[in-house]
Amino acid sequence: MLRKSAHMNRHQTVVVRPAATTDALAIAQTHTAAWQAAYQGIFDAQWLAALSIDKRRLMWIEAIMARQPHVLVATTGPDDPPQLLGHASWGNSRDPGDSTGVAELWSIYLDPGAWRQGLGERLWLACRAMMEQAEMQQCRVWVLEGNANARAFYAAQGFLPDNHPSKTVTMGGASVLEIRYTLVI
């Protein structure tokens, strides 16, 4: 069962920090809730409802321990305990042929109750600062063609669709197109 959705108070303090393995369950819960809300009408409702929080928790534990990708979380603060509002992850580009100076934003997902409050941008800017520190020259992100909200978000951050061919991915019995966006850092 998912935890109660995070509803933010506009005056609430938010902390963006590197994820710890103890965050993995909350990341998995938020990740799942975000998919279920953002991908309605793109993927089958039954498939979305059956997404496994436990599988995602294990995936996030492994990623955080391996530090690949880099994982950041946004939490309320200084609540005791803080509530996780969302996460972002990035690493080297996984696209064949990309150089070592090309990063990829692997994900930004927020609890649906925390959407449209500037948290996605805060997480992106924290990732971007890390990319700059790592001397990355470009950042790529793959976005589902049918996810108009995400496409608008990345465009507002300065990402542009590039000339790379879109790719078809199959999940939950649906074949969907992903479009690659690129930003010069």
Side-chain angles (χ1 to χ4, degrees), residues 78-139:
D79 297 349
D80 187 26
Q83 186 173 14
L84 192 128
L85 301 167
H87 77 275
S89 61
W90 75 276
N92 291 325
S93 173
R94 297 173 284 184
D95 291 342
D98 274 348
S99 69
T100 56
V102 180
E104 180 178 344
L105 185 61
W106 292 18
S107 65
I108 295 180
Y109 288 106
L110 303 175
D111 184 286
W115 286 0
R116 297 190 185 357
Q117 299 186 39
L119 291 177
E121 183 174 31
R122 286 190 61 183
L123 282 163
W124 157 242
L125 291 174
C127 288
R128 182 178 177 151
M130 291 174 70
M131 291 174 195
E132 289 171 351
Q133 190 171 32
E135 299 182 356
M136 297 292 179
Q137 289 88 44
Q138 295 181 347
C139 179

Side-chain angles (χ1 to χ4, degrees), residues 13-148:
T13 301
V14 174
V15 175
V16 175
R17 61 170 174 78
T21 55
T22 54
D23 296 316
L25 177 59
I27 293 171
Q29 290 170 330
T30 300
H31 191 183
T32 301
W35 268 56
Q36 290 169 336
Y39 299 144
Q40 288 179 13
I42 296 173
F43 295 111
D44 178 72
Q46 288 181 320
W47 180 76
L48 287 170
L51 291 173
S52 171
I53 291 171
D54 195 52
K55 284 182 183 176
R56 287 177 188 243
R57 180 184 65 82
L58 294 173
M59 177 193 76
W60 286 113
I61 287 172
E62 289 177 18
I64 293 164
M65 288 176 61
R67 295 182 186 190
Q68 187 60 5
H70 303 280
V71 183
L72 299 175
V73 294
T75 65
T76 57
D79 297 349
D80 187 26
Q83 186 173 14
L84 192 128
L85 301 167
H87 77 275
S89 61
W90 75 276
N92 291 325
S93 173
R94 297 173 284 184
D95 291 342
D98 274 348
S99 69
T100 56
V102 180
E104 180 178 344
L105 185 61
W106 292 18
S107 65
I108 295 180
Y109 288 106
L110 303 175
D111 184 286
W115 286 0
R116 297 190 185 357
Q117 299 186 39
L119 291 177
E121 183 174 31
R122 286 190 61 183
L123 282 163
W124 157 242
L125 291 174
C127 288
R128 182 178 177 151
M130 291 174 70
M131 291 174 195
E132 289 171 351
Q133 190 171 32
E135 299 182 356
M136 297 292 179
Q137 289 88 44
Q138 295 181 347
C139 179
R140 308 218 195 276
V141 62
W142 286 92
V143 185
L144 292 180
E145 180 183 48
N147 190 345

Side-chain angles (χ1 to χ4, degrees), residues 143-181:
V143 185
L144 292 180
E145 180 183 48
N147 190 345
N149 289 332
R151 291 177 67 185
F153 171 81
Y154 291 117
Q157 304 311 312
F159 284 85
L160 296 171
D162 62 25
N163 292 328
H164 193 278
S166 57
K167 63 182 177 182
T168 300
V169 294
T170 302
M171 290 184 277
S175 292
V176 295
L177 282 178
E178 283 188 319
I179 299 169
R180 190 174 82 175
Y181 284 65

